[in-house]
Amino acid sequence: MAPPFVFPRTLEDLEHEEHGDNRLYVHNPVNIASLVSSQLEEFVKGVSFDLSDKEILCVEEQDVFDRVYSLVRGFALLSPSSKLNLLETLRSNLAVLLPNVDSLSRASHDHIPLVSHRNAFKIYTFFLLNILLAQHSNNNTSKVVAPNARKKQAMNSWNWEAQRSRILNLIANSLEINLELLFGLPDLDESYLFFITKNAFSMFEDATLLKDSDVKDALCRIIGACSTKYHYTAQSCASIMHLIYKYDFVVTHMADAVVGAEKKYADGSLAMSLVREIGRTNPKDYVKDTVGAENVGHFLVELADRIPKLISTNIGILVPHFGGESYKIRNALVAVLGKLIAKAFKDVDSGEVSSKSIRLRTKQAMLEILLERCRDVSAYTRSRVLQVWAELCEDHYISIGLWNEVAEIAAGRLEDKSAMVRKSALNLLIMMLQHNPFGPQLRIASFEATLDQYKKKLKDLEPSEEAEHSSNADNFNGDGEVDDLNCETVVKGQRQDSLTDSCLSQSEDVISLQNSSVLDVGNLEQTRALVASLEAGLRFSKCIGATMPTLVQLMASFSATDVENTILLLMRCKQFQIDGSEECLRKMLPLVFSQDKSIYEAVESAFHTIYIKKSPIETANNLLSLATDSNIGDLAALEFIIGALVSKGDISSSMISALWDYFCFNVSGTTAEQSRGALSVLCMVAKTSPGALGSHLQDIIDIGFGCWSKVDPLLARTACLAIQRLSEDDKKKLLASNSVQIFGILESLITGFWLPANIWFASADKAIAAVYAIHPTPETIAADMIKKSLSSVYNDGGVNVQSDIDTSSGSMPLTVQVAKLSRCLFIISHIAMNQLVYIESCARKIQKQKLTKEKKDYENQSIDNNDTVPTGTQKDNDINAELGFAASEDAALDALFEKAEKEIVSGGSNEKNLIGVCATFLSKLCRNFGLMQKYPELQASSMLALCRLMIIDADFCDANLQLLFTVVESAHSEIVRSNCTIALGDLAVRFPNLLEPWTENMYACLKDPCVSVRKNAVLVLSHLILNDMMKVKGYINEMAVRLEDEDERISNLAKLFFLELSKKGNNPIYNLLPDILSKLSQQNLSKDSFCNIMQFLIASIKKDRQMEALVEKLCHRFSGVTDVRQWEYISYCLSQLSFTEKGIKKLIELFKTYEHVLSEDSVMDHFRIILNKGKKFAKLELKACIEEFEDKLNKFHMDKKEQEVTARNAQIHQQKIGSREGFTVATNSEDHSESNSASDETEGEVIDACTEEVTLPLYGKSESKLESEANSRASSELTELDQGDIEIQSPQVKTRGVQRSTTNKSNVRDGKGDNISVTKRTIRSRR
């Protein structure tokens, strides 16, 4: 019988015999490297023949064993056919051996065959696994080969992958038979298990190998069998944890192995051991190894998903890790709880009552932990918890009793500081709306009405069924969940588990909850359950409705995900008819102007989903409703969206026809307001598709200016806008057919009084623009309108305003009506403005025609030059170009246009034109401040007209600038100041050189007490600065103050300005910050406001280089400042900087610049914040420097404090000494003693707070010794330096209860023997 085979550490160890060890080892290995290929082939065939021909156990024969060992050791040298031959022989022998193990052990009582079979089993397994490892390592090394060797390698390759999976599956099968019979013990040979598991785990480290599903399954079976069946759990657990920590790709496969073992052997010991090992790990280890923590978390989630019941029984081991610092572990545990809640308690109703109670308590505890984790310190964990709640909601695992609590937490997280948390909260609310158990419509009024009805019924039922006691088990689940059956009864089956994304129409809100009849739902307990369900639904509806203001704020967020998900939530809210969702959705329209493409696409998609329906009439109704209810900003956004939809073809011709039907009152029940809205939408369509209005020209005139315009006066304004939007062909058609009629209508609208005053100004604005848009010579009709307007003012008999107007004959009083004069001034100024625009448009047309002619001439010239010589015209053009005649022609055109613009107001001559005469009158009228103050409406109109004329003419502007700024600063009317502020922006664009000296006055508008003036000032200055029309000068601190404006909109506008400013160039805020700091610290600002402003501005600086430079700049500012308040402000700004290693070193180097300010506690607190920041990122060397510097700062701070205390004590002593100037010292000892005792009783003591107090035992000592001690230990010495100058040195030791010796009458001697004569004052030292 052969000696037993023992698994060696390595294959080569089989060649070394160990003394005293009776085991099988190699005696005569063959060096196959020395054999030629033919001999090697014969050698392999001989070994294969012996293994096949002899019995299976022949492998333990020494000769066969040695030869097989030699081939396995040199396996890489074999040819592919030889490899396959040897491998197949060994594999087939082991496969034949396995079925014999069980029968052999049962049939034979002889121990020898059993030992031989065990030996053969070990040898075959050992050689096969070694071949597997050798080939695996060979494949890994051959991955990097030379390009010319790849073809040769491909020719000699063989199908190793198939053989590899067959070998591993065979070994896995061998572990699944009853090997205990073969080994004779319950636990197998540990060396065998160690060898198998070690090699299996080593293969798990190869990600490529695991891509083969057969190989992966076999390895999982091997690990599962060894760990579970053969109780090799502890060692396997350590190896599994090592792999999980090291490789992320192995996590899923290890979970497969653990779960497979648990299911196959009904033994969860491996899983429980792993969970316990994870639970026992120190939480701090997960902080150090973030990758390992993430892998462990992923592994736990996989186990919880696949074996939830087993993990739920061991979850208590993991719960303490919620208190650890690793957010990745907390994230994983949160996900684990979500999986367990969803899967581990499905059969909670089955089983014993005690077991059921325990499982329900466990589930409730898990839910409470999830609710608590919504307030985790890490944003990642808060986000993950909300995601878990969304998953539970989607799978209907949230009870009605818990529903509102989750909804309120999600609503609260909408205001979280982290964008990812807000995103998860929005998604959770979307999911809760989609899967809510309360019905397809959630209007508060509907719930309240139905709830009142059922409360009345409950009140009626309660007396009649007071004696009945029914069980609550049918209506309430164990965890407090209200049975959904009753809620479903109320909504009559209209509850939907997953509603479609199509938004329901507002008209589809008639459900059974709104029926007047009350449904009979059963007895008292069922009615109570129903009332509880309705109350929960009402609470949920109110909770969602209360988030509307927050959602409006989120739509203005800088995070694109916030905006996109908020829009999705609002769409879902509108689908379920949440109160206020319709109004909030309209506020998303201005977001179409966002530069972020994703936000624009989200708004466009939402708009299309909500408002564009399949029915053209419904679509038209939606669009015209939007147009009638929107403000100016929303109308601009609506026009932009409609233009985009028209370009894409989403607004069809049938929808446009439906709009015309509404405008022409062809739809029954159409109102004048709806007609105006339809025309407004058609005007928006015409901006992209100009021909859209041409088919109904007569309808626009008849309806827009007819009797319906008296019902809705704004209809006339919309009709004027439609005339402007006509295409060129339609304009010609209109002039050809109705020119007299249309101009007569427009002139009567402008000069007439048939429109209300509050609508006339907007309508006249559009009417004048329409005249200039379609009239061939608009200046002629404009002049007539001005004359008519003037005549209506001065020929009127009414008496309202009396004013002096200069005429050629002198000054005469004139009385006019305020309303007519205001309208006249508006017409004059607006015509002047439109005349300027008309001249510029004519200039552009001429230049365009000129360019077209030149291009055409150039093309003709190039054609002629192909075959012919230059003609005379071409030569003339060349000569003109060389002489510069073309440039002079352009200059002449520019001069002509400039003269035309000049003639609008001043005329360029002594004789003024029509508007020029009015401008002179207007200027004098605006200077009559008494009249303006008496009639604020007239001041608003006259100042607006003055500003328009100033924009047109530079000379007129220069002459009236001082007047304009005077009005801006001193006008009583907020409207006047606000209008003039806006006009200043236009003037700064038009005439920047004229406005440049008045920059400070423009910034002064930011301090106006009126909110609208400040808001317009912020908007105007933001526009000018961001578009480089105004330089950022030394008054930018006024804009910074607006960051803390009491009005939230102004504050947000200022924040937006600085954010946009920080994106320009090299961030101008970096250069402006020191100046802003200096000026803000001198203003009367609260400390909180200053800190908030500087924190915001500093946060906009992102570059490390700029931060480091700011450290130096701010440190140098300490040296030029003596005010303690400014020291605090500068140190606060330093503490807000993002420090780098270089910045910390620079701070340490500049210590001399700020050492004098370290006595202040607030300053020191800010420096401590800086040092704490530095410690977080500092390496060991820098950290040591920071700690050393911190000690230095603290020591310096304490020294400075002591110096301050000493100086304060000195000042107090000086005051006391000065108060005793009138007293003299008595010459005899008794008087001197009385004086000293009196001073001991009455005089106050000055104590150094920085020195400990010491009480010396003085009893029993002689009087002379007391005197010497008092003299030697005294540290408060009084030295008279000059007349009246006294220096008090800092004391070291203080004694109490020491009485001065009375033997010395008037002289006090110091340690050096110097005498100081004190004649007029008595000094008592207590030290």
Side-chain angles (χ1 to χ4, degrees):
M1 183 181 70
F5 178 79
V6 179
F7 284 90
R9 292 184 178 180
T10 62
L11 181 65
E12 287 74 13
D13 286 350
L14 288 174
E15 298 182 22
H16 307 297
E17 179 184 5
E18 295 182 6
H19 296 287
D21 189 8
N22 183 24
R23 64 180 179 85
L24 183 63
Y25 68 94
V26 177
H27 287 220
N28 299 309
V30 179
N31 185 12
I32 64 173
S34 61
L35 301 177
V36 297
S37 59
S38 59
Q39 292 175 334
L40 188 57
E41 291 285 341
E42 290 299 323
F43 186 77
V44 173
K45 288 179 180 178
V47 172
S48 299
F49 178 77
D50 290 343
L51 290 173
S52 303
D53 189 54
K54 296 180 180 181
E55 62 179 4
I56 300 173
L57 304 179
C58 70
V59 72
E60 67 174 351
E61 296 176 5
Q62 191 65 54
D63 178 56
V64 177
F65 182 77
D66 291 350
R67 286 186 293 154
V68 173
Y69 165 80
S70 302
L71 290 176
V72 172
R73 187 184 62 178
F75 190 77
L77 302 175
L78 301 181
S79 63
S81 59
S82 299
K83 289 180 179 179
L84 183 61
N85 192 5
L86 176 64
L87 192 64
E88 190 62 27
T89 303
L90 293 173
R91 190 197 62 78
S92 60
N93 280 14
L94 179 59
V96 172
L97 180 65
L98 294 182
N100 296 333
V101 172
D102 187 50
S103 59
L104 179 68
S105 61
R106 294 180 184 279
S108 175
H109 299 286
D110 189 1
H111 185 64
I112 295 177
L114 198 62
V115 172
S116 298
H117 276 76
R118 184 164 61 240
N119 256 3
F121 176 78
K122 289 182 178 181
I123 293 169
Y124 283 126
T125 303
F126 177 74
F127 283 147
L128 283 172
L129 274 177
N130 271 285
I131 291 174
L132 197 67
L133 293 174
Q135 188 65 25
H136 178 62
S137 61
N138 185 42
N139 287 348
N140 287 341
T141 55
S142 63
K143 286 179 181 178
V144 182
V145 294
N148 55 358
R150 288 178 182 170
K151 183 180 278 188
K152 183 178 180 182
Q153 182 182 355
M155 293 175 61
N156 296 331
S157 62
W158 58 303
N159 189 12
W160 162 245
E161 285 75 14
Q163 297 297 326
R164 179 178 59 198
S165 62
R166 294 176 70 185
I167 293 171
L168 288 172
N169 276 295
L170 178 62
I171 293 173
N173 292 336
S174 70
L175 288 168
E176 291 174 357
I177 66 173
N178 195 0
L179 290 180
E180 296 173 358
L181 299 174
L182 182 64
F183 283 86
L185 295 170
D187 294 335
L188 303 189
D189 184 1
E190 187 167 345
S191 64
Y192 167 72
L193 291 175
F194 173 76
F195 178 75
I196 295 290
T197 54
K198 182 188 76 170
N199 293 307
F201 282 124
S202 68
M203 292 183 192
F204 266 109
E205 297 180 4
D206 188 353
T208 308
L209 193 66
L210 295 175
K211 290 179 181 178
D212 188 337
S213 59
D214 292 337
V215 172
K216 189 262 295 183
D217 292 341
L219 289 173
C220 290
R221 288 166 56 202
I222 291 171
I223 297 300
C226 292
S227 306
T228 306
K229 183 178 179 182
Y230 299 111
H231 313 294
Y232 201 67
T233 307
Q235 299 85 339
S236 298
C237 183
S239 299
I240 290 173
M241 292 304 300
H242 171 74
L243 288 175
I244 289 174
Y245 274 110
K246 195 171 182 181
Y247 304 105
D248 57 349
F249 61 84
V250 84
V251 172
T252 307
H253 307 307
M254 280 301 165
D256 292 338
V258 174
V259 173
E262 192 272 340
K263 290 183 177 178
K264 187 163 189 174
Y265 302 106
D267 185 357
S269 58
L270 179 59
M272 287 189 290
S273 297
L274 289 168
V275 172
R276 290 193 185 103
E277 182 65 27
I278 294 170
R280 281 196 298 264
T281 305
N282 190 339
K284 293 183 179 179
D285 294 343
Y286 292 127
V287 179
K288 298 174 184 176
D289 184 9
T290 56
V291 176
E294 188 171 2
N295 294 345
V296 168
H298 186 193
F299 180 70
L300 287 174
V301 175
E302 290 287 337
L303 292 183
D305 188 33
R306 303 185 194 189
I307 45 175
K309 290 185 179 179
L310 182 64
I311 300 299
S312 66
T313 58
N314 294 274
I315 190 64
I317 302 170
L318 302 173
V319 169
H321 282 275
F322 274 117
E325 296 181 11
S326 174
Y327 72 88
K328 293 189 175 181
I329 289 294
R330 297 202 302 274
N331 286 5
L333 292 180
V334 163
V336 166
L337 292 182
K339 298 289 184 185
L340 296 183
I341 291 169
K343 297 185 176 183
F345 304 98
K346 287 185 177 179
D347 56 348
V348 72
D349 294 331
S350 61
E352 298 179 0
V353 177
S354 59
S355 174
K356 177 181 176 181
S357 175
I358 292 172
R359 293 173 67 80
L360 284 175
R361 285 200 300 269
T362 305
K363 181 180 179 181
Q364 188 63 31
M366 293 180 182
L367 291 168
E368 289 174 359
I369 291 174
L370 282 183
L371 290 172
E372 178 189 352
R373 285 297 113 190
C374 290
R375 299 173 180 87
D376 194 278
V377 67
S378 170
Y380 294 101
T381 304
R382 296 197 299 274
S383 175
R384 189 71 187 95
V385 175
L386 295 173
Q387 291 171 14
V388 169
W389 280 117
E391 293 167 4
L392 292 174
C393 175
E394 187 176 11
D395 296 331
H396 307 289
Y397 290 115
I398 302 179
S399 65
I400 295 181
L402 199 62
W403 191 272
N404 283 301
E405 194 170 352
V406 175
E408 287 167 1
I409 287 177
R413 289 299 100 195
L414 292 178
E415 299 182 26
D416 197 281
K417 63 181 180 180
S418 172
M420 72 174 75
V421 180
R422 296 195 298 268
K423 178 183 177 182
S424 299
L426 289 166
N427 288 331
L428 173 55
L429 289 175
I430 291 171
M431 198 63 66
M432 295 189 78
L433 278 170
Q434 184 173 346
H435 298 281
N436 83 85
F438 307 114
Q441 75 93 8
L442 299 174
R443 283 190 174 179
I444 293 176
S446 301
F447 270 104
E448 288 177 341
T450 309
L451 182 60
D452 289 341
Q453 293 174 357
Y454 280 96
K455 279 185 175 180
K456 290 178 183 177
K457 181 176 181 180
L458 179 63
K459 192 174 182 180
D460 296 338
L461 286 173
E462 279 177 345
S464 61
E465 298 192 15
E466 214 167 13
E468 296 183 10
H469 302 283
S470 56
S471 175
N472 294 340
D474 295 335
N475 300 309
F476 289 90
N477 291 334
D479 57 348
E481 177 181 346
V482 181
D483 193 353
D484 293 346
L485 174 63
N486 295 317
C487 190
E488 289 176 359
T489 305
V490 178
V491 298
K492 283 190 174 179
Q494 292 196 21
R495 173 186 167 189
Q496 303 172 10
D497 286 340
S498 180
L499 297 174
T500 60
D501 291 337
S502 60
C503 294
L504 300 178
S505 171
Q506 294 286 5
S507 61
E508 299 175 6
D509 50 27
V510 182
I511 64 169
S512 58
L513 283 176
Q514 295 170 309
N515 292 342
S516 58
S517 60
V518 181
L519 298 175
D520 186 8
V521 293
N523 57 18
L524 177 63
E525 293 301 327
Q526 290 174 333
T527 306
R528 283 176 178 168
L530 175 59
V531 169
S533 299
L534 289 171
E535 287 177 343
L538 177 61
R539 181 181 168 191
F540 177 67
S541 181
K542 288 181 177 179
C543 175
I544 301 297
T547 64
M548 293 299 134
T550 306
L551 296 179
V552 172
Q553 292 179 355
L554 284 177
M555 282 196 290
S557 171
F558 295 109
S559 172
T561 56
D562 281 351
V563 180
E564 294 171 28
N565 288 287
T566 301
I567 291 172
L568 292 176
L569 177 56
L570 285 173
M571 290 173 63
R572 193 69 68 186
C573 290
K574 185 178 185 300
Q575 173 183 338
F576 286 91
Q577 302 173 20
I578 297 293
D579 295 342
S581 58
E582 180 77 24
E583 293 75 12
C584 290
L585 267 175
R586 291 192 178 184
K587 294 181 180 179
M588 79 173 179
L589 293 179
L591 294 175
V592 294
F593 300 116
S594 172
Q595 296 179 352
D596 193 319
K597 187 178 179 182
S598 61
I599 294 178
Y600 165 75
E601 290 175 350
V603 175
E604 186 181 11
S605 175
F607 185 89
H608 191 281
T609 303
I610 297 169
Y611 299 110
I612 307 300
K613 304 296 183 181
K614 292 182 179 179
S615 169
I617 293 293
E618 188 178 354
T619 301
N621 187 33
N622 290 338
L623 294 179
L624 66 88
S625 298
L626 271 178
T628 52
D629 296 339
S630 299
N631 55 29
I632 295 176
D634 292 343
L635 284 174
L638 180 62
E639 184 174 321
F640 187 85
I641 296 177
I642 288 177
L645 294 177
V646 170
S647 301
K648 293 181 179 180
D650 292 335
I651 295 183
S652 60
S653 57
S654 59
M655 296 177 186
I656 295 175
S657 300
L659 287 169
W660 281 119
D661 290 339
Y662 271 106
F663 173 67
C664 298
F665 296 91
N666 294 332
V667 179
S668 60
T670 303
T671 62
E673 187 181 23
Q674 289 178 319
S675 176
R676 169 171 58 83
L679 183 58
S680 180
V681 175
L682 287 168
C683 291
M684 298 174 187
V685 173
K687 191 169 185 180
T688 305
S689 177
L693 298 173
S695 58
H696 292 74
L697 290 178
Q698 193 60 46
D699 291 332
I700 293 173
I701 297 172
D702 294 342
I703 298 174
F705 301 106
C707 60
W708 287 106
S709 62
K710 292 179 174 58
V711 178
D712 184 5
L714 284 175
L715 187 58
R717 177 185 178 276
T718 310
C720 293
L721 179 62
I723 291 174
Q724 292 181 58
R725 296 282 173 89
L726 293 175
S727 64
E728 293 299 324
D729 294 338
D730 292 334
K731 288 177 183 177
K732 292 177 183 178
K733 190 190 301 182
L734 180 63
L735 290 176
S737 58
N738 295 314
S739 61
V740 177
Q741 180 186 9
I742 188 62
F743 290 124
I745 291 172
L746 292 175
E747 186 174 344
S748 68
L749 188 152
I750 296 167
T751 59
F753 295 90
W754 56 278
L755 284 177
N758 60 335
I759 294 175
W760 177 87
F761 287 95
S763 301
D765 180 358
K766 297 299 179 184
I768 293 172
V771 169
Y772 272 87
I774 63 174
H775 201 285
T777 55
E779 62 276 5
T780 56
I781 190 173
D784 293 338
M785 288 188 290
I786 291 175
K787 291 175 183 177
K788 286 185 179 180
S789 180
L790 286 171
S791 63
S792 68
V793 172
Y794 297 126
N795 294 334
D796 188 80
V799 179
N800 268 26
V801 179
Q802 184 171 343
S803 177
D804 290 337
I805 302 177
D806 285 347
T807 61
S808 56
S809 59
S811 179
M812 60 173 291
L814 181 64
T815 306
V816 296
Q817 284 189 0
V818 171
K820 289 187 176 182
L821 181 57
S822 298
R823 290 193 181 194
C824 178
L825 295 176
F826 178 84
I827 293 171
I828 293 171
S829 61
H830 204 63
I831 285 177
M833 184 65 71
N834 278 272
Q835 184 68 22
L836 176 66
V837 175
Y838 176 70
I839 292 171
E840 291 177 350
S841 65
C842 291
R844 285 194 298 270
K845 286 180 183 178
I846 294 173
Q847 290 171 350
K848 186 177 180 181
Q849 291 172 0
K850 186 172 178 293
L851 289 173
T852 304
K853 182 176 179 298
E854 290 176 354
K855 185 178 180 182
K856 189 174 181 180
D857 292 342
Y858 177 76
E859 290 174 354
N860 294 334
Q861 179 182 351
S862 60
I863 294 173
D864 293 340
N865 287 341
N866 288 335
D867 300 316
T868 61
V869 296
T871 61
T873 306
Q874 292 167 357
K875 290 181 180 179
D876 293 340
N877 291 339
D878 294 339
I879 294 170
N880 290 337
E882 291 178 7
L883 294 176
F885 287 137
S888 63
E889 185 179 348
D890 291 338
L893 284 173
D894 292 341
L896 184 62
F897 297 142
E898 187 177 349
K899 183 180 179 183
E901 292 178 3
K902 196 81 173 174
E903 287 179 349
I904 296 175
V905 177
S906 62
S909 61
N910 294 330
E911 184 179 353
K912 294 185 179 295
N913 57 16
L914 183 60
I915 294 179
V917 172
C918 297
T920 304
F921 162 75
L922 179 61
S923 179
K924 293 184 177 181
L925 178 64
C926 292
R927 281 176 164 80
N928 192 336
F929 294 112
L931 189 66
M932 295 293 100
Q933 187 174 350
K934 187 177 181 181
Y935 300 100
E937 298 86 358
L938 179 61
Q939 186 182 25
S941 298
S942 58
M943 286 306 302
L944 185 59
L946 181 74
C947 292
R948 282 175 172 167
L949 297 184
M950 289 173 67
I951 291 171
I952 295 170
D953 190 87
D955 295 335
F956 188 76
C957 175
D958 192 21
N960 293 279
L961 264 180
Q962 188 170 2
L963 168 64
L964 178 60
F965 278 104
T966 302
V967 172
V968 169
E969 294 172 4
S970 60
H972 294 284
S973 172
E974 298 174 358
I975 297 174
V976 173
R977 298 201 308 274
S978 186
N979 289 343
C980 292
T981 302
I982 298 171
L984 286 175
D986 296 331
L987 289 172
V989 175
R990 178 85 169 153
F991 308 117
N993 294 334
L994 292 179
L995 269 292
E996 195 271 339
W998 300 88
T999 303
E1000 183 179 1
N1001 301 76
M1002 293 182 68
Y1003 276 98
C1005 299
L1006 293 168
K1007 296 185 286 187
D1008 195 279
C1010 175
V1011 172
S1012 64
V1013 177
R1014 294 201 307 274
K1015 183 195 76 173
N1016 288 330
V1018 171
L1019 288 171
V1020 166
L1021 291 171
S1022 300
H1023 174 73
L1024 294 175
I1025 293 171
L1026 295 177
N1027 290 283
D1028 299 323
M1029 298 173 186
M1030 175 186 285
K1031 293 181 180 179
V1032 185
K1033 294 203 171 184
Y1035 315 106
I1036 195 67
N1037 58 291
E1038 296 297 339
M1039 183 71 89
V1041 172
R1042 292 305 111 213
L1043 290 168
E1044 284 292 299
D1045 195 280
E1046 58 187 12
D1047 186 78
E1048 186 179 1
R1049 176 168 169 76
I1050 296 176
S1051 175
N1052 291 334
L1053 287 172
K1055 290 176 182 177
L1056 181 61
F1057 163 74
F1058 281 107
L1059 285 174
E1060 293 298 325
L1061 184 63
S1062 66
K1063 299 175 185 177
K1064 291 177 65 67
N1066 202 24
N1067 194 352
I1069 296 179
Y1070 159 69
N1071 295 319
L1072 295 170
L1073 194 66
D1075 186 49
I1076 293 176
L1077 167 62
S1078 176
K1079 294 191 176 181
L1080 288 183
S1081 60
Q1082 297 171 8
Q1083 288 185 243
N1084 188 21
L1085 275 176
S1086 67
K1087 185 176 180 180
D1088 290 340
S1089 296
F1090 175 86
C1091 293
N1092 293 337
I1093 292 171
M1094 297 309 298
Q1095 183 181 12
F1096 181 84
L1097 293 178
I1098 292 172
S1100 64
I1101 301 174
K1102 306 295 183 184
K1103 294 181 180 179
D1104 291 342
R1105 179 175 55 81
Q1106 292 180 341
M1107 286 288 187
E1108 293 158 6
L1110 278 176
V1111 173
E1112 185 173 0
K1113 288 184 178 181
L1114 292 177
C1115 286
H1116 283 302
R1117 280 194 168 264
F1118 281 114
S1119 58
V1121 175
T1122 57
D1123 185 13
V1124 174
R1125 182 187 180 196
Q1126 294 195 27
W1127 292 349
E1128 293 180 0
Y1129 285 169
I1130 296 173
S1131 60
Y1132 172 80
C1133 294
L1134 273 173
S1135 68
Q1136 295 303 307
L1137 297 177
S1138 299
F1139 276 85
T1140 60
E1141 183 175 348
K1142 191 174 179 181
I1144 291 289
K1145 289 180 179 178
K1146 187 164 288 187
L1147 183 70
I1148 296 174
E1149 292 171 2
L1150 296 170
F1151 176 75
K1152 290 292 182 183
T1153 61
Y1154 55 83
E1155 62 178 358
H1156 62 285
V1157 306
L1158 295 177
S1159 59
E1160 295 297 324
D1161 292 334
S1162 58
V1163 175
M1164 272 301 297
D1165 290 339
H1166 294 148
F1167 274 96
R1168 290 189 183 103
I1169 292 173
I1170 296 170
L1171 296 180
N1172 290 332
K1173 282 184 181 180
K1175 290 177 183 177
K1176 291 180 180 179
F1177 65 82
K1179 296 179 182 178
L1180 292 177
E1181 183 180 353
L1182 180 60
K1183 197 169 187 179
C1185 292
I1186 292 175
E1187 290 173 353
E1188 182 183 349
F1189 181 64
E1190 186 176 17
D1191 294 338
K1192 181 180 178 181
L1193 285 181
N1194 290 330
K1195 183 178 181 301
F1196 209 88
H1197 174 62
M1198 296 303 298
D1199 292 344
K1200 285 286 185 182
K1201 293 289 287 185
E1202 288 182 6
Q1203 291 176 12
E1204 282 189 357
V1205 171
T1206 303
R1208 197 178 305 116
N1209 290 344
Q1211 187 176 3
I1212 294 173
H1213 276 284
Q1214 271 188 331
Q1215 293 174 356
K1216 289 182 178 180
I1217 290 168
S1219 65
R1220 299 191 188 108
E1221 285 291 339
F1223 296 96
T1224 60
V1225 181
T1227 56
N1228 59 64
S1229 60
E1230 292 180 358
D1231 293 344
H1232 186 73
S1233 176
E1234 289 175 4
S1235 172
N1236 283 337
S1237 73
S1239 66
D1240 285 341
E1241 292 173 1
T1242 61
E1243 185 180 334
E1245 297 179 353
V1246 180
I1247 301 173
D1248 189 350
C1250 299
T1251 309
E1252 296 182 359
E1253 296 179 355
V1254 180
T1255 302
L1256 299 180
L1258 299 176
Y1259 300 103
K1261 295 186 178 181
S1262 65
E1263 190 175 345
S1264 60
K1265 188 175 181 181
L1266 288 173
E1267 179 181 339
S1268 64
E1269 280 186 6
N1271 287 333
S1272 62
R1273 300 176 72 93
S1275 58
S1276 288
E1277 299 177 356
L1278 183 66
T1279 307
E1280 194 166 16
L1281 302 175
D1282 292 319
Q1283 240 180 356
D1285 292 340
I1286 296 175
E1287 176 183 350
I1288 296 179
Q1289 297 181 358
S1290 177
Q1292 295 177 351
V1293 181
K1294 294 184 292 189
T1295 63
R1296 293 187 178 181
V1298 181
Q1299 296 181 353
R1300 296 288 301 239
S1301 175
T1302 59
T1303 56
N1304 293 334
K1305 301 284 192 302
S1306 59
N1307 295 333
V1308 179
R1309 183 178 300 277
D1310 63 4
K1312 296 180 181 180
D1314 297 333
N1315 293 331
I1316 301 174
S1317 177
V1318 182
T1319 59
K1320 290 187 179 181
R1321 62 195 70 173
T1322 302
I1323 300 173
R1324 181 173 62 90
S1325 174
R1326 48 185 297 275
R1327 311 179 188 227

